[in-house]
Amino acid sequence: MSVVVRTIARIVLPVGLAFGAYVIMHGHLTPGGGFQGGAVVASLVALIVVTFGAERLVRAKTWFSVVEDLGALAFVALAFLGIGVTFFRNVLANSGGLFGASVPLGPNPGILNSAGTLPLMNWAVGFKVIAGLGAVVLLLALFGKGGEGEDG
Amino acid sequence: MRRWFFAGALLVVVAYLIGAAVWLHPFGIPSSSEMDDYFIANAQKEVAANNVVTSIVFDYRGFDTLGEATVLLAAVVGVALVLRRAVR
């Protein structure tokens, strides 16, 4: 793509990355979560593919599949944390430790260190969606190779 | 003959859709709201999350999210499988 598009993409990439990380990290406080934030970051992968060409990311394919599998495993492992009571039991909530703070009832700005396993699951699902959608975009771009990548 | 058949079918579908729109269940008045009331009243206390939607998605109905994640995994695996020769 042209130098204008590349310059704008260099500005947009860090901002979008920060916004995606915010949406994932605050999934238990504000609208959003792992799926939505992961989709935001995966759209940045599409931006890189469109702007700089898919060849730049050929070696990221392996990392995408590894991260996707690790995210799925982390999600299931977090669900198994509560197997003492039931599958998906939120054992960390209200425990006082990691992400264990209790929130006051009623409308309030929220506490980041609350909600138990929810933030951890959001991160697991977020990485899974980033890697999954990124891998799909990258594979389809590499499949249709021949047009993108060169200036014009 | 075929034309009249398809015109009749179109009429039936249109009448069905108009009827569905006219006799639609009114918005904002669920026929049963026990689950909604329970989630709204207890989600902040039980899950300690301010976002009730996330507490439902990841806690109360975690199995649903597990299925959703599995669908995404299956989609990615399917794309990788179909394009494995083309992409190397």
Side-chain angles (χ1 to χ4, degrees):
Chain A
M1 283 287 174
S2 70
V3 68
V4 177
V5 178
R6 273 180 295 184
T7 309
I8 297 296
R10 285 200 181 97
I11 298 170
V12 167
L13 278 173
V15 178
L17 200 59
F19 180 64
Y22 160 77
V23 171
I24 295 175
M25 193 158 62
H26 289 238
H28 56 300
L29 301 178
T30 55
F35 284 100
Q36 293 85 347
V40 167
V41 180
S43 71
L44 297 178
V45 176
L47 181 68
I48 294 175
V49 165
V50 168
T51 310
F52 300 105
E55 283 80 8
R56 288 274 188 104
L57 291 175
V58 166
R59 287 174 47 182
K61 266 190 313 180
T62 320
W63 286 107
F64 276 155
S65 54
V66 168
V67 170
E68 156 115 36
D69 296 342
L70 283 181
L73 281 177
F75 184 65
V76 176
L78 285 166
F80 265 113
L81 268 186
I83 199 70
V85 184
T86 47
F87 199 51
F88 274 103
R89 169 78 184 169
N90 198 340
V91 285
L92 293 177
N94 295 319
S95 67
L98 180 71
F99 293 119
S102 301
V103 292
L105 300 185
N108 64 78
I111 303 163
L112 188 61
N113 188 30
S114 66
T117 53
L118 262 63
L120 301 170
M121 282 182 174
N122 266 326
W123 275 112
V125 169
F127 274 115
K128 186 172 149 40
V129 172
I130 291 169
L133 293 184
V136 168
V137 168
L138 187 61
L139 284 172
L140 289 175
L142 286 171
F143 176 64
K145 183 163 46 183
E148 82 279 283
E150 75 260 43
D151 288 359
Chain B
M1 189 61 209
R2 274 172 65 99
R3 181 168 301 186
W4 287 110
F5 175 75
F6 282 114
L10 181 71
L11 266 180
V12 169
V13 170
V14 166
Y16 180 79
L17 289 178
I18 287 175
V22 167
W23 289 296
L24 191 66
H25 192 81
F27 283 113
I29 310 168
S31 46
S32 71
S33 63
E34 290 89 4
M35 295 292 282
D36 316 359
D37 294 337
Y38 179 83
F39 288 144
I40 291 168
N42 294 310
Q44 257 185 328
K45 183 157 52 88
E46 290 180 351
V47 192
N50 267 5
N51 191 345
V52 178
V53 175
T54 302
S55 65
I56 291 172
V57 165
F58 282 105
D59 191 306
Y60 293 111
R61 297 191 177 165
F63 268 119
D64 193 43
T65 308
L66 187 61
E68 209 173 333
T70 311
V71 166
L72 183 69
L73 187 71
V76 174
V77 168
V79 170
L81 196 65
V82 169
L83 302 180
R84 71 190 189 284
R85 289 253 179 266
V87 177
R88 289 186 308 278

